[in-house]
Amino acid sequence: ELASSAVERAGRELAGRALAIDASEDCAAFVDAALVARLAANLLRNAARYSPADAPIDLALELRRAPPAPGGGEDGGKALALRVRDRGPGLPEDELDSVFAKFARGRGAKGKGLGLGLAICKGLAEAHGGGIVARNALGGGLEIETILPFGGGDGI
């Protein structure tokens, strides 16, 4: 449902694009579905903007263990990992962290935009007690991963 909602929200930016969705049936998470769908839609729009028109975009959702809280201690319990990968040029290494700042646009930025989409994603991830990272993917493109903890110390 989350993936479907995100794709619907991304709308026309994904029209005609090959989109691969990898989400297990048992990938239920206790998160604010509307906000996380908005986060995923922003990531999908960004991927569509920087991927060649004939290149696939990947959206993956999986349950995993959240990282320990800052300062160490117990593991963080369950988390939803949400990854979007494009097949664009990626980013220079020195821009991977700064791309989440307000009004940040990469040196190779395409199209219109204020540079707020990824800053909004960061804010939504942090509102869930999680985080977001960007990395250049093996084989090309950019992968953005969000980890959204949702509590509980029992096994996944």
Side-chain angles (χ1 to χ4, degrees):
E1 291 177 31
L2 180 78
S4 295
S5 180
V7 170
E8 186 176 312
R9 284 173 178 256
R12 64 179 180 189
E13 285 94 341
L14 294 178
R17 297 250 181 201
L19 179 63
I21 299 174
D22 181 15
S24 64
E25 297 265 338
D26 63 346
C27 193
F30 302 102
V31 295
D32 184 314
L35 292 179
V36 176
R38 181 175 180 187
L39 185 158
N42 281 358
L43 294 178
L44 289 169
R45 281 189 205 102
N46 198 66
R49 186 174 295 130
Y50 292 100
S51 285
D54 60 346
I57 296 169
D58 301 331
L59 170 63
L61 300 162
E62 68 179 347
L63 293 180
R64 66 166 69 155
R65 287 218 163 277
E74 301 287 322
D75 77 50
K78 294 180 182 180
L80 174 68
L82 185 154
R83 282 186 319 279
V84 173
R85 179 185 176 195
D86 67 35
R87 298 304 192 286
L91 283 171
E93 292 295 319
D94 64 336
E95 289 185 27
L96 289 173
D97 291 330
S98 63
V99 75
F100 298 106
K102 291 178 185 173
F103 306 110
R105 292 185 40 99
R107 289 189 285 259
K110 294 181 180 179
K112 299 176 185 176
L114 298 174
L116 291 173
L118 293 180
I120 289 169
C121 291
K122 180 181 180 188
L124 293 173
E126 289 175 349
H128 279 82
I132 189 167
V133 296
R135 59 183 158 256
N136 289 309
L138 293 175
L142 185 70
E143 179 177 87
I144 298 181
E145 182 175 59
T146 306
I147 304 294
L148 306 171
F150 58 94
D154 51 330
I156 304 176

